[in-house]
Amino acid sequence: NAGVTQTPKFQVLKTGQSMTLQCAQDMNHEYMSWYRQDPGMGLRLIHYSVGAGITDQGEVPNGYNVSRSTTEDFPLRLLSAAPSQTSVYFCASSYSTHPYEQYFGPGTRLTVT
Amino acid sequence: AQRVTQPEKLLSVFKGAPVELKCNYSYSGSPELFWYVQYSRQRLQLLLRHISRESIKGFTADLNKGETSFHLKKPFAQEEDSAMYYCALNSQGGKLIFGQGTELSVKP
């Protein structure tokens, strides 16, 4: 099993550009989520999904869109990148919403200039 | 409001010394708490969860509801323990609320 995979590993965008961060898992997990990690602020939940076709907002959803058309994939879209979105983004998945272990991807380091 | 606070950004100890990483939480109800660890150039991974009351890599954490704390402890630190440690609270529906993180540095 590859676990949770994320692409790309690094990305530089100009303000106003759009892009999609990819996340995939091969563990048949129902629950998937996106976090951003910023110095001194820990990880903050952006969006999450409890199953295919179901998504909801987390703590910091503004500027981001998600969709969940399959169990395996949970892409995160930045429609118009802003410097405030410079961060490290982590995708995670777990078997259910019960507090089982969440498995994290390796992260995507995004810089918006 | 649901919140997790880790008051120390950096904790530096010598090898063999005891370690305590502090975590305080705010939650109405019965909390479910975790410690996650991120070693250098590795992905974030679960270290332990309070419901299992286990010891992983010599680390333990006890939930103290009276003090709303879930401090992580190890009696004798090792250099390989150097990492970033995050305390996390399970909010409704499996959403994790993370603390700010504490960087542990174990010096030889």
Side-chain angles (χ1 to χ4, degrees):
Chain A
N1 284 354
V4 179
T5 58
Q6 291 182 237
T7 56
K9 289 186 178 179
F10 302 95
Q11 183 70 49
V12 179
L13 291 178
K14 294 186 186 310
T15 298
Q17 288 184 317
S18 63
M19 80 159 296
T20 299
L21 307 185
Q22 301 291 344
C23 174
Q25 53 89 12
D26 60 359
M27 297 174 282
N28 202 31
H29 285 170
E30 290 295 324
Y31 183 86
M32 296 186 73
S33 54
W34 276 101
Y35 295 88
R36 59 178 290 172
Q37 182 185 43
D38 301 292
M41 304 193 74
L43 281 82
R44 293 179 293 169
L45 182 65
I46 305 171
H47 285 286
Y48 66 100
S49 168
V50 299
I54 306 170
T55 64
D56 206 346
Q57 297 180 349
E59 183 185 355
V60 288
N62 292 342
Y64 308 95
N65 280 352
V66 291
S67 60
R68 185 92 180 273
S69 56
T70 66
T71 300
E72 294 77 21
D73 300 297
F74 190 43
L76 178 72
R77 296 184 187 84
L78 285 72
L79 297 179
S80 179
S84 60
Q85 294 179 304
T86 293
S87 187
V88 181
Y89 292 85
F90 289 99
C91 179
S93 73
S94 65
Y95 179 68
S96 78
T97 58
H98 192 73
Y100 293 149
E101 176 177 358
Q102 287 202 15
Y103 293 83
F104 282 80
T108 294
R109 186 174 294 275
L110 176 67
T111 302
V112 183
T113 61
Chain B
Q2 301 168 1
R3 187 170 59 245
V4 176
T5 303
Q6 294 179 248
E8 303 141 328
K9 290 181 68 174
L10 173 65
L11 184 62
S12 184
V13 302
F14 286 102
K15 176 183 174 181
V19 170
E20 182 179 68
L21 289 86
K22 291 182 167 49
C23 171
N24 290 93
Y25 67 90
S26 173
Y27 186 73
S28 57
S30 189
E32 293 165 339
L33 289 148
F34 306 81
W35 277 98
Y36 278 80
V37 60
Q38 187 175 26
Y39 300 103
S40 179
R41 287 186 290 277
Q42 294 187 27
R43 59 185 71 190
L44 202 66
Q45 58 187 288
L46 178 68
L47 180 62
L48 54 79
R49 69 199 94 182
H50 91 273
I51 56 174
S52 56
R53 300 185 64 81
E54 56 197 343
S55 174
I56 302 294
K57 299 184 179 183
F59 285 97
T60 59
D62 290 319
L63 178 60
N64 186 322
K65 291 185 178 181
E67 296 183 358
T68 60
S69 68
F70 188 55
H71 302 329
L72 184 68
K73 300 177 184 179
K74 184 170 184 177
F76 307 104
Q78 303 298 315
E79 289 180 67
E80 55 265 30
D81 296 328
S82 295
M84 195 74 179
Y85 291 81
Y86 291 97
C87 183
L89 168 71
N90 183 47
S91 180
Q92 296 167 347
K95 294 182 287 185
L96 285 181
I97 298 173
F98 284 85
Q100 301 92 325
T102 297
E103 181 182 355
L104 174 63
S105 174
V106 182
K107 299 177 181 178

